[in-house]
Amino acid sequence: MNIVVLTGAGVSAESGLGTFRDKGGLWAKYDPMKLATPEAFAADPAAVYAFYNARRSNLLTAAPNVAHEALTRLQTGLAARGGRLSIVTQNVDDLHERAGSRDVLHMHGELLKARCLSCHAVSEWRADLGGTDRCPACSAVGWLRPHIVWFGEMPFNLGEIQTLLSEADLFVAIGTSGAVYPAAGFVQDARMYGVRTREMNLEPSDNHYRFDESAYGSATGIVPRWVDGVLAAIDARGEAA
Ligand code: BV8
């Protein structure tokens, strides 16, 4: 059985990382158009560096939660049964990886990486990032930006994601408001490929009506239960995943 999971900020919410569009979320406090666009970075790099530095230091004190761990269990469980779980995430944190998940596709980039605008190298970056930092690859000073996909920029791995969707038996969106494209359009792509779709979220998302099935509640409450059910159903059928 091949499953593609798309995660959003809701899967990391119970790890203490802010979501974007919930009450009190990041975009309630900050204007995304003033912080998460290339124009914003060009106009006021210090403000954009500070925004991501605050989130990076918050991430370094956070830990994966049982929803991240359940998805790792599903990934290893499906592989052991001849199936596959592909994790595509809109999140820029590394909590899926720290929970043990592999080959995670970060379509909106990664908070713990910096990209050089001079040599284009992407480097691990866990400290504060600013306009006087030196690129570890080419030593250029002042050319590093957060390795984040901002509004108006092309997300990463879109071709690979479409291939994974076309090969899936099930597409599951977890902890996302369905507000940002092209990620929010993946459910329509999956349906076009004839793939069953499921939404799991705290509340119905903007595109909840496009899903075949849904479950609502906190990610730490509903994801582990769902994973146990998927693996048990495969074993009950007694067939390879
Ligand atoms: C692009 C930066 C060209 C990183 C982000 C149509 C087609 C294509 C593009 C567009 C289009 N229409 C409009 C656009 C432009 C734009 C867009 O979508 N705008 C929106 C606002 C209308 N898209 C873009 O600019 C994208 N690039 O289009 O390039 C192109 C065109 C065609 C095809 C390809 C390319 C770039 C988008 C990426 C922008 N970068 N962030 C950062 O700062 O982190 S977006 C930002 O929103 C985050 O990355 C985040 O991941 C993303 C999505 O948010 P969610 O993860 O869903 O988080 P949110 O808070 O919204 O929701 C959380 C959910 O969790 C809620 O529903 C809540 O109920 C739930 N929840 C809360 N707690 C829990 C929970 N669930 C379970 N348990 C809990 N405990």
Side-chain angles (χ1 to χ4, degrees):
M1 181 180 200
N2 283 352
I3 301 178
V4 174
V5 161
L6 169 71
T7 61
V11 84
S12 298
E14 291 162 275
S15 294
L17 300 189
T19 62
F20 293 87
R21 294 166 188 83
D22 285 324
K23 286 173 281 309
L26 281 165
W27 298 148
K29 294 182 206 128
Y30 304 98
D31 178 357
M33 293 309 142
K34 290 207 179 66
L35 287 165
T37 65
E39 295 77 13
F41 184 62
D44 189 353
V48 175
Y49 280 130
F51 176 59
Y52 288 99
N53 288 345
R55 288 172 62 195
R56 190 180 302 104
S57 49
N58 185 30
L59 172 55
L60 294 175
T61 64
N65 62 55
V66 293
H68 297 104
E69 290 160 1
L71 291 174
T72 300
R73 198 164 73 244
L74 181 60
Q75 192 172 56
T76 45
L78 280 176
R81 295 165 172 82
R84 182 179 68 193
L85 171 70
S86 306
I87 299 176
V88 177
T89 187
Q90 299 172 90
N91 299 338
V92 294
D93 62 59
D94 65 338
L95 298 183
H96 283 302
E97 288 87 346
R98 280 200 258 157
S101 292
R102 302 163 62 87
D103 307 323
V104 176
L105 293 178
H106 284 271
M107 63 179 292
H108 289 168
E110 297 177 70
L111 197 48
L112 300 182
K113 290 183 179 170
R115 186 163 82 241
C116 180
L117 293 173
S118 176
C119 73
H120 309 296
V122 175
S123 310
E124 295 293 321
W125 201 277
R126 305 175 75 84
D128 278 357
L129 181 66
T132 58
D133 285 308
R134 182 184 300 275
C135 171
C138 73
S139 299
V141 174
W143 289 90
L144 292 174
R145 63 162 274 182
H147 184 53
I148 296 282
V149 177
W150 286 324
F151 287 102
E153 295 187 320
M154 188 69 80
F156 300 130
N157 309 112
L158 292 180
E160 188 177 352
I161 293 167
Q162 284 300 320
T163 302
L164 290 170
L165 288 172
S166 70
E167 295 170 350
D169 301 296
L170 177 64
F171 169 70
V172 186
I174 302 177
T176 178
S177 63
V180 173
Y181 288 83
F186 290 165
V187 58
Q188 290 152 271
D189 299 333
R191 296 180 69 91
M192 181 184 63
Y193 296 126
V195 176
R196 194 156 51 88
T197 57
R198 179 183 178 84
E199 167 171 271
M200 299 173 75
N201 204 47
L202 197 59
E203 59 196 2
S205 70
D206 291 2
N207 53 3
H208 65 89
Y209 55 92
R210 295 191 189 280
F211 289 86
D212 297 310
E213 56 188 70
S214 56
Y216 297 112
S218 69
T220 58
I222 60 178
V223 175
R225 245 198 332 267
W226 170 68
V227 165
D228 294 341
V230 169
L231 295 176
I234 291 171
D235 291 344
R237 287 199 298 272
E239 69 198 36

